[in-house]
């Protein structure tokens, strides 16, 4: 079973519309549109689960960039949230560490030049 991410959706896109769109490529197990917990309005992204991995990948390549309800949607294989966050955090802290260490080196060089 393959989970697919759909982003940049129109706020009016429904679960039924997504199911009809993806069912052209294979059997759809579930459709979820993420909604705001207070207003219940769409957040503009969701997920579709399909039984056949090959059909899911055909759907991804056929629908990515296609206009749905007036917006070009982004369709890709879903990435586990914790794995994605781990990668993003690692990149963030690597950049931060590199900047800090280069600043320290510059500071040490400046301190040495002021000695008599």
């Amino acid at each position: 079973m393959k989970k697919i991410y759909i982003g940049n959706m129109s706020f009016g896109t429904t679960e039924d519309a997504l199911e009809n769109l993806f069912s052209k490529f294979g059997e759809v197990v579930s459709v979820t549109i993420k909604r705001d917990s207070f207003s219940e309005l769409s957040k503009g992204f969701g997920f579709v689960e399909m039984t056949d991995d090959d059909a899911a990948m055909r759907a991804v390549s056929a629908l990515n960039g296609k206009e749905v309800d007036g917006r070009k949607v982004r369709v890709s294989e879903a990435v586990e949230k914790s794995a994605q966050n781990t990668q993003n955090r690692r990149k963030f802290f690597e950049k931060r560490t590199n900047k800090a260490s280069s600043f320290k080196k510059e500071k040490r060089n400046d301190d040495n030049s002021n000695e008599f």
Side-chain angles (χ1 to χ4, degrees), residues 76-107:
S76 63
E77 185 176 349
V79 178
E80 183 81 24
K81 188 174 182 178
S82 62
Q84 184 181 16
N85 283 344
T86 301
Q87 291 171 349
N88 291 342
R89 280 185 163 159
R90 186 175 298 126
K91 288 178 186 176
F92 172 78
F93 284 110
E94 284 174 357
K95 287 180 183 177
R96 191 172 177 187
T97 303
N98 290 340
K99 286 181 181 178
S101 63
S102 66
F103 175 76
K104 287 178 185 175
K105 287 177 187 174
E106 289 174 15
K107 184 70 173 161

Side-chain angles (χ1 to χ4, degrees), residues 36-97:
D36 180 77
S37 58
F38 295 108
S39 68
E40 293 297 317
L41 296 174
S42 168
K43 289 186 174 184
F45 72 96
F47 299 93
V48 172
E49 285 185 296
M50 298 181 74
T51 55
D52 182 26
D53 291 356
D54 292 332
M57 294 316 292
R58 284 193 305 273
V60 166
S61 51
L63 298 174
N64 187 34
K66 182 179 179 183
E67 192 168 306
V68 177
D69 293 334
R71 300 203 53 186
K72 287 186 178 182
V73 294
R74 287 188 302 267
V75 182
S76 63
E77 185 176 349
V79 178
E80 183 81 24
K81 188 174 182 178
S82 62
Q84 184 181 16
N85 283 344
T86 301
Q87 291 171 349
N88 291 342
R89 280 185 163 159
R90 186 175 298 126
K91 288 178 186 176
F92 172 78
F93 284 110
E94 284 174 357
K95 287 180 183 177
R96 191 172 177 187
T97 303

Side-chain angles (χ1 to χ4, degrees), residues 1-9 18-19 21-34 44-65 73-80:
M1 189 159 22
K2 185 77 73 177
K3 192 170 189 177
I4 302 167
Y5 166 82
I6 305 97
N8 197 41
M9 290 190 321
L18 287 179
E19 185 172 2
L21 186 64
F22 280 85
S23 64
K24 296 173 185 173
F25 299 93
E27 183 183 348
V28 174
V29 176
S30 69
V31 178
T32 306
I33 293 177
K34 294 299 182 179
F45 72 96
F47 299 93
V48 172
E49 285 185 296
M50 298 181 74
T51 55
D52 182 26
D53 291 356
D54 292 332
M57 294 316 292
R58 284 193 305 273
V60 166
S61 51
L63 298 174
N64 187 34
V73 294
R74 287 188 302 267
V75 182
S76 63
E77 185 176 349
V79 178
E80 183 81 24

